[in-house]
Amino acid sequence: MTSRDEVVFGRPARAAEDAPRAAANCALSSAGLSKRFRSGQLAVDSVDLAVPTGSVYGFLGPNGSGKTTTIRMLLGLIQPTAGSYEVLGLPMPDGLPYALPRVGSLVEGPGFHPYLSGRANLARQDAADRTANPATASARIDAALGRVGLLAAADKRYGAYSLGMKQRLAIATSLLRRRELVILDEPTNGLDPQGTREVRGLIRQIAADGTTVFLSSHLLAEVEQICTHVGVMRTGRLVFQGTLEELRGPGAGRVVVRTPRPELAAEILGGELQLADVRVSGLEVSAELGSILPETVCERLVKAGVPVAGLETPRRSLEEEFVQLTGEGFDVD
Amino acid sequence: MWTSAASPTGPDSGELAERQSRGAKHVPPWFRLFRSELRLVFCRPRNLALLGVLAFIPVALGVLFKLSLSGPGGGGGPAFLNQVAGNGVFLGLAVLVLMLSLFLPLAVCVVAGDAIAGEASHGTLRGLLAVPAGRTRLLAVKLASIVLFALASCLLVVGVAVLMGVVLFPVGRVTLLSGTTVPLSVGLLRVLFVALYAAAAMVALGSIGLAASTLTVHPVGAIAAALVIVLASEIADAVPQLSAAHPFLPTHFWLSFDGLFRAPVDWSGVQHGLLSFAAYLLIFGAVAWARFTSADVAS
């Protein structure tokens, strides 16, 4: 697991120094992973990923921040120009043939032959896997189709599928076998709210089976609901990596007290409780909580005779964090 | 850690069960992919339409020949056409000569140019490589399917044409170009050899198409590129000033199979042809491999 001191806001997480240690229980890890395209554009700039085994890792970033390029490198589709990476503990690219059969993936939207049925498309994917057992193929294909709710449409031409069905078929390919890691690149892209809910439910199921999920997305709500860990990309750099809690704010944040006697409250907070950064604005007093519990604050205030009309510990919204990390122009939708 | 993890030991229980249940129906993995590839090529509506056209043209040509040969002023057509009136077996050769100028190369270019670029444009290439299908393995299977398609289309054309020849024209002992007469069975066997020779020529062309297919994500571009090479080569082959370069053109030996219709068989043309086809297959196969195994797949 990522320890708290690795979290550095506004700078790349310091996974590089910890890479050898981290790799031992990481489903995915990289050190200095970079890709410079022939055009000279540095699409991915020394990314140090550490995706803990068993986590649901949200890989966030605006469009064009290098998420898909990173995923393509992890899957051996494109060659990094610098850096190293491991998938399921195997150094790449040498371990590719051994690691990838244990990894399910969906990269940049569904891609299938339009004139083949959904079932035939899955059969083709399975036939390409030299480690899959042909004797169980049809049972596994039906099971995967069943899990994404496509059994009824299994023999329809893929070209006649709706966008939601296409997306679900793409997820089904990653369910053809038991996987240790599933990499999903924007799996809810272009889905209606219902489809999004279905896919989110599927991801929860996959994670509940003990599979590590690496989920690339630019939907904050999605990540907030299902992810345990988060990595944030900005213009090719990993600007944050840690748990969702760590992203939401260091420590417990601030406490805000609403009271008709703000001066007295400020005195207690700053004096008796020794909270830092005490601010008064109108009838509200706020201060940094530090290690003190909000209930303690309330108790002391009341004992000191401060009439407490309200007390809350507001969290900065995830959106605020992202805008701070990735700058303006982040497409939040 | 590397050695223990690299060997495919320690799979989950499901995989163990999978392996134990194996044996009853053992299909080698390469054959599974090859079979899947053949289904893709031979069940695709577009390719079936291509094969349909390839089967229809010999029928139409047979009828056309029958009409023109029975009418006044018959004869004077392409090679082997004059013999067709005497023996229907020659229709197979006459039709093949005509089809080698456009329709057969077109069909092979479509399938070969589509091989990798088609997968890339459908977005299926990234899926196959992430399976992982293995780049060299996928390319080998693609080439094998092109070989089978070339073989199937040449045999189809010649087969339908011979059938039409049998239906429309008299059939009997075959008089060879050298004047000797051989039994019908020997004549048919020689026609089969010609079809195989044409298939070899189409495989060489297919390797050019395959190489083009690894260079782009647009199948139409790869198909057009391969066809342009065919046309440019045929034009250059017709320019006497370029005679020094003729033996190196990819289309130069396509029709050098008339030696098979002499007694004794004159192998020189066929040998040169096969050597040229092998060289093209080797060179463009190597180009395709070098490109495909190193290229970034960003489609």
Side-chain angles (χ1 to χ4, degrees):
Chain A
M1 285 293 186
T2 323
S3 61
R4 178 157 282 215
D5 61 359
E6 280 172 22
V7 182
V8 180
F9 277 92
R11 278 190 283 141
R14 280 178 296 154
E17 304 141 38
D18 305 325
R21 178 176 61 81
N25 49 15
C26 273
L28 274 177
S29 63
S30 72
L33 194 66
S34 305
K35 177 68 185 180
R36 187 183 288 281
F37 285 122
R38 234 176 288 170
S39 63
Q41 186 208 347
L42 192 60
V44 175
D45 185 4
S46 42
V47 162
D48 303 316
L49 277 178
V51 179
T53 303
S55 65
V56 179
Y57 188 103
F59 195 44
L60 283 153
N63 293 332
S65 58
K67 299 193 299 288
T68 298
T69 305
T70 305
I71 288 176
R72 282 179 182 276
M73 280 194 278
L74 295 175
L75 292 172
L77 295 176
I78 63 180
Q79 274 175 5
T81 39
S84 62
Y85 66 107
E86 294 186 0
V87 177
L88 298 173
L90 300 180
M92 298 287 127
D94 296 339
L96 219 119
Y98 309 104
L100 289 193
R102 296 147 65 195
V103 179
S105 59
L106 156 61
V107 191
E108 234 186 338
F112 295 100
H113 295 285
Y115 44 87
L116 292 183
S117 70
R119 180 180 273 125
N121 267 304
L122 287 193
R124 182 162 165 74
Q125 283 268 324
D126 194 64
D129 187 349
R130 68 194 110 180
T131 59
N133 181 4
T136 60
S138 63
R140 284 183 291 112
I141 289 167
D142 277 2
L145 285 166
R147 276 187 79 177
V148 299
L150 277 181
L151 261 182
D155 296 312
K156 247 169 88 170
R157 274 177 63 245
Y158 171 77
Y161 277 18
S162 71
L163 186 55
M165 292 161 84
K166 289 177 177 178
Q167 201 74 279
R168 280 188 280 160
L169 187 67
I171 295 175
T173 59
S174 61
L175 302 175
L176 280 173
R177 307 178 61 182
R178 230 193 73 81
R179 312 283 192 181
E180 289 162 55
L181 169 67
V182 169
I183 297 177
L184 301 171
D185 187 10
E186 311 214 341
T188 56
N189 221 3
L191 293 186
D192 53 20
Q194 233 166 349
T196 309
R197 265 178 77 96
E198 282 171 25
V199 167
R200 208 179 290 144
L202 258 172
I203 294 170
R204 282 212 186 90
Q205 273 181 37
I206 295 169
D209 291 348
T211 303
T212 308
V213 178
F214 185 80
L215 172 74
S216 136
S217 180
H218 57 253
L219 302 177
L220 302 181
E222 186 169 287
V223 167
E224 197 160 17
Q225 286 181 45
I226 55 181
C227 292
T228 58
H229 290 70
V230 177
V232 181
M233 292 285 285
R234 177 188 186 175
T235 56
R237 299 184 70 89
L238 189 65
V239 292
F240 171 84
Q241 179 165 255
T243 65
L244 201 58
E245 292 304 308
E246 287 164 342
L247 177 64
R248 280 205 175 111
R254 296 178 71 84
V255 60
V256 181
V257 181
R258 249 178 302 123
T259 167
R261 298 187 59 189
E263 296 81 15
L264 181 59
E267 211 182 291
I268 304 293
L269 291 180
E272 193 184 331
L273 287 164
Q274 305 224 312
L275 298 188
D277 193 24
V278 179
R279 287 185 222 165
V280 182
S281 72
L283 295 180
E284 274 187 3
V285 186
S286 68
E288 264 179 33
L289 261 180
S291 58
I292 301 197
L293 294 170
E295 45 267 47
T296 316
V297 174
C298 187
E299 189 194 333
R300 296 285 175 84
L301 286 172
V302 173
K303 273 189 182 157
V306 178
V308 178
L311 184 143
E312 56 180 335
T313 50
R315 304 200 118 164
R316 284 167 74 189
S317 74
L318 210 51
E319 193 175 314
E320 278 177 278
E321 297 296 341
F322 282 116
V323 173
Q324 190 197 325
L325 283 169
T326 60
E328 294 304 319
F330 187 84
D331 59 347
V332 183
D333 46 2
Chain B
M1 164 153 187
W2 161 245
T3 43
S4 69
S7 63
T9 53
D12 51 81
S13 54
E15 212 165 330
L16 274 178
E18 268 178 31
R19 219 170 277 164
Q20 278 158 4
S21 71
R22 206 174 285 188
K25 184 177 132 193
H26 187 81
V27 184
W30 68 266
F31 184 71
R32 262 193 100 199
L33 183 57
F34 181 52
R35 201 172 51 183
S36 161
E37 191 60 42
L38 287 186
R39 266 193 212 126
L40 197 71
V41 169
F42 286 96
C43 296
R44 180 164 183 184
R46 185 197 66 195
N47 294 354
L48 288 178
L50 272 177
L51 289 173
V53 169
L54 288 184
F56 171 75
I57 293 174
V59 176
L61 284 176
V63 173
L64 221 64
F65 289 163
K66 176 78 178 171
L67 293 175
S68 69
L69 287 171
S70 58
F80 300 110
L81 188 52
N82 296 328
Q83 281 93 339
V84 173
N87 196 329
V89 170
F90 281 102
L91 187 64
L93 300 183
V95 164
L96 187 66
V97 169
L98 285 174
M99 302 273 286
L100 273 173
S101 65
L102 179 64
F103 290 103
L104 273 170
L106 176 74
V108 170
C109 282
V110 167
V111 169
D114 197 49
I116 299 294
E119 298 273 11
S121 74
H122 282 135
T124 44
L125 185 58
R126 53 176 187 258
L128 286 175
L129 293 183
V131 161
R135 296 193 183 208
T136 304
R137 184 164 161 263
L138 186 61
L139 197 69
V141 163
K142 289 283 179 191
L143 184 61
S145 74
I146 292 169
V147 170
L148 248 106
F149 184 81
L151 198 64
S153 33
C154 288
L155 289 177
L156 181 72
V157 163
V158 172
V160 172
V162 168
L163 212 67
M164 285 305 289
V166 170
V167 172
L168 296 173
F169 300 96
V171 176
R173 290 178 66 83
V174 177
T175 308
L176 299 179
L177 297 174
S178 52
T180 2
T181 306
V182 295
L184 179 62
S185 58
V186 175
L188 283 175
L189 196 67
R190 296 204 178 188
V191 172
L192 176 68
F193 281 143
V194 170
L196 293 177
Y197 177 82
M202 291 302 100
V203 166
L205 173 61
S207 72
I208 296 176
L210 184 63
S213 191
T214 60
L215 296 171
T216 171
V217 295
H218 306 292
V220 176
I223 294 165
L227 274 176
V228 163
I229 289 176
V230 171
L231 292 179
S233 166
E234 280 178 349
I235 291 168
D237 207 20
V239 176
Q241 282 83 355
L242 296 175
S243 60
H246 284 175
F248 302 102
L249 294 173
T251 62
H252 183 69
F253 293 101
W254 282 8
L255 300 179
S256 315
F257 51 71
D258 52 330
L260 289 173
F261 270 76
R262 295 184 190 281
V265 173
D266 174 13
W267 290 104
S268 64
V270 171
Q271 271 172 359
H272 281 133
L274 290 178
L275 201 68
S276 159
F277 304 153
Y280 269 99
L281 178 63
L282 208 69
I283 292 167
F284 282 90
V287 168
W289 180 82
R291 164 74 188 174
F292 188 55
T293 51
S294 65
D296 284 348
V297 174
S299 61

